[in-house]
């Protein structure tokens, strides 16, 4: 009798999807909660180090590199836009004629510092998202979702991969056209790129729809006659509006707490689904446990720093030297842990 051999589909020595999700939450907290350029530079360097140590051999990873390039370029241009449009602060380095619309007025170092901080925050979030995309398959992330929101998770995953997949398809079509001797000399030549790109997109959408239909997407093997809990969904909508208002007025911590409450209400109001089967269970090996514990510790330290007001920094109305707390710096450095085993 031949023995049945269990094959592990995940890469040996790498953390699981839940641990990587905890890492992403920890690194994303810094640009979401602080505009201190010192902490943002540290978070960007940490995210970049982990990104460079993570294998990125697929065409989707190459597409993410282009997304990073476009995103960081737009973030850099936002610095100049902020300097030209925000005429506030006590450190003036130049002045444009007041007759100029929008850009006329004093140009301040305060606006420059805030623009740089915002650009660093955007770049950090983009690099962290690219790292998570390179390290974890989206199917593994969807398996972490509760059964009530699994359908929404699949739809969100498909939407998130739209841009990288389109960029990867455009690159392949461009290389194929160049290999056939076609040269792009004017915007009119873009038709030879856009036409097959549209056809490839429609074909990919059709194949995806057929695959989802074959796997019974949106249906259940056991229909449960339980209506949606509309009061819970209405409450979730109201709490979400209140959370967005609080975050818009600078009350980040209460706003994030209300967002978590809104997600809980939305999950409670979703229609019940039958229990899902999982082909591969979530394995908590040593790298996964270490990364989850380290990311959890970093999240706790950053949360305590937010409560104490240590993450707060505003260059307006007076430009001051940004403070630096070694405890916060250590919490950010803890997120370098994936570089220990990544790429092995």
């Amino acid at each position: 009798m031949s023995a049945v051999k269990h094959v592990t589909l995940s890469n040996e020595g790498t953390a699981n999807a839940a641990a990587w999700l905890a890492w992403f939450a920890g690194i994303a907290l810094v640009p979401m909660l602080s505009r201190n350029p010192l902490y943002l530079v540290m978070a960007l360097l940490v995210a970049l180090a982990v990104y460079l140590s993570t294998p990125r051999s697929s065409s989707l990873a190459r597409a993410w590199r282009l997304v990073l390039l476009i995103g960081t370029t737009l973030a850099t241009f936002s610095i100049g836009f902020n300097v030209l449009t925000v005429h506030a602060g006590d450190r003036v380095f130049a002045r444009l004629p007041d007759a100029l619309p929008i850009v006329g007025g004093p140009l301040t170092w305060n606006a420059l510092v805030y623009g740089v901080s915002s650009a660093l925050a955007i770049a950090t979030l983009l690099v962290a998202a690219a790292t998570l995309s390179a390290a974890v398959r989206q199917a593994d992330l969807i398996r972490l979702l509760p059964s009530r929101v699994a359908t929404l998770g699949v739809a969100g995953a498909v939407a998130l991969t739209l841009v990288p997949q389109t960029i990867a398809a455009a690159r392949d079509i461009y290389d194929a056209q160049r290999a056939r001797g076609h040269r792009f000399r004017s915007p009119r030549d873009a038709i030879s790129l856009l036409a097959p790109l549209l056809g490839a997109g429609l074909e990919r959408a059709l194949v995806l729809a057929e695959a989802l239909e074959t796997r019974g997407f949106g249906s259940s093997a056991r229909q449960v006659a339980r209506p949606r809990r509309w009061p819970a969904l209405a409450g979730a909508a109201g709490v979400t509006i209140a959370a967005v208002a609080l975050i818009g007025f600078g009350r980040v911590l209460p706003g994030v707490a209300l967002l978590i409450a809104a997600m809980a209400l939305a999950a409670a109001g979703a229609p019940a689904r039958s229990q899902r089967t999982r082909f591969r269970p979530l394995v908590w090996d040593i790298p996964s446990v270490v990364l989850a514990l380290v990311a959890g510790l970093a999240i706790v330290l950053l949360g305590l720093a937010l409560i104490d007001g240590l993450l707060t920094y505003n260059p307006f109305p007076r430009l001051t030297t940004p403070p630096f707390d070694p405890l916060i710096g250590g919490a950010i450095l803890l997120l370098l842990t994936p570089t220990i085993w990544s790429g092995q």
Side-chain angles (χ1 to χ4, degrees):
M1 182 182 295
S2 60
V4 178
K5 192 173 183 180
H6 296 280
V7 180
T8 303
L9 298 179
S10 59
N11 295 329
E12 184 179 357
T14 60
N16 59 31
W20 273 107
L21 198 60
W23 175 88
F24 177 77
I27 198 68
L29 275 179
V30 181
M32 290 176 61
L33 301 179
S34 178
R35 282 299 179 266
N36 189 318
L38 300 180
Y39 300 147
L40 291 173
V41 168
M42 288 189 62
L44 177 59
L45 293 178
V46 167
L48 190 60
V50 177
Y51 174 74
L52 294 177
S53 65
T54 304
R56 305 173 309 280
S57 56
S58 64
S59 59
L60 191 60
R62 292 197 301 270
W64 264 107
R65 286 200 290 268
L66 184 56
V67 173
L68 285 176
L69 178 61
I70 296 174
T72 51
T73 301
L74 293 176
T76 304
F77 277 111
S78 69
I79 299 175
F81 180 80
N82 194 78
V83 172
L84 292 174
T85 56
V86 179
H87 309 288
D90 61 331
R91 302 291 182 89
V92 179
F93 65 87
R95 188 178 186 89
L96 295 177
D98 295 334
L100 294 176
I102 301 177
V103 299
L107 306 181
T108 63
W109 291 108
N110 308 66
L112 178 63
V113 170
Y114 191 83
V116 170
S117 299
S118 300
L120 289 172
I122 295 173
T124 302
L125 289 174
L126 285 174
V127 175
T131 304
L132 183 66
S133 177
V136 182
R137 297 188 312 130
Q138 295 203 0
D140 295 333
L141 293 177
I142 294 174
R143 292 191 186 99
L144 298 177
L145 294 174
S147 299
R148 291 179 180 271
V149 294
T151 303
L152 181 61
V154 173
V158 172
L160 288 175
T161 57
L162 175 63
V163 174
Q165 286 181 350
T166 302
I167 294 175
R171 183 186 294 274
D172 294 339
I173 294 171
Y174 177 80
D175 293 339
Q177 297 281 20
R178 296 271 296 180
R180 293 183 176 92
H182 182 74
R183 295 294 179 265
F184 296 88
R185 299 182 179 86
S186 65
R188 221 179 293 178
D189 296 330
I191 299 178
S192 60
L193 176 64
L194 295 178
L197 182 61
L198 178 61
L202 293 175
E203 181 181 1
R204 186 168 60 250
L206 182 61
V207 171
L208 179 61
E210 291 176 347
L212 292 175
E213 182 69 21
T214 303
R215 289 164 175 81
F217 177 72
S219 63
S220 176
R222 177 170 58 89
Q223 298 296 332
V224 181
R226 290 179 58 188
R228 289 182 173 87
R229 302 172 181 175
W230 295 111
L233 296 177
V239 173
T240 301
I241 295 174
V244 172
L246 286 176
I247 294 176
F249 284 106
R251 305 294 300 277
V252 178
L253 186 59
V256 172
L258 286 182
L259 282 178
I260 296 175
M263 287 188 291
L265 286 173
R273 297 284 180 183
S274 60
Q275 186 176 3
R276 291 182 299 166
T277 58
R278 287 175 170 81
F279 173 72
R280 177 165 53 115
L282 193 66
V283 178
W284 286 97
D285 50 6
I286 293 179
S288 302
V289 173
V290 171
L291 182 57
L293 291 177
V294 167
L297 178 59
I299 292 173
V300 170
L301 293 176
L302 291 173
L304 293 175
L306 177 64
I307 295 174
D308 294 337
L310 300 178
L311 293 175
T312 304
Y313 175 74
N314 192 357
F316 301 104
R318 298 183 66 252
L319 182 62
T320 58
T321 303
F324 182 81
D325 190 297
L327 191 61
I328 300 176
I332 297 174
L333 290 178
L334 285 175
L335 298 173
L336 277 171
T337 302
T339 59
I340 298 175
W341 63 78
S342 293
Q344 295 180 355

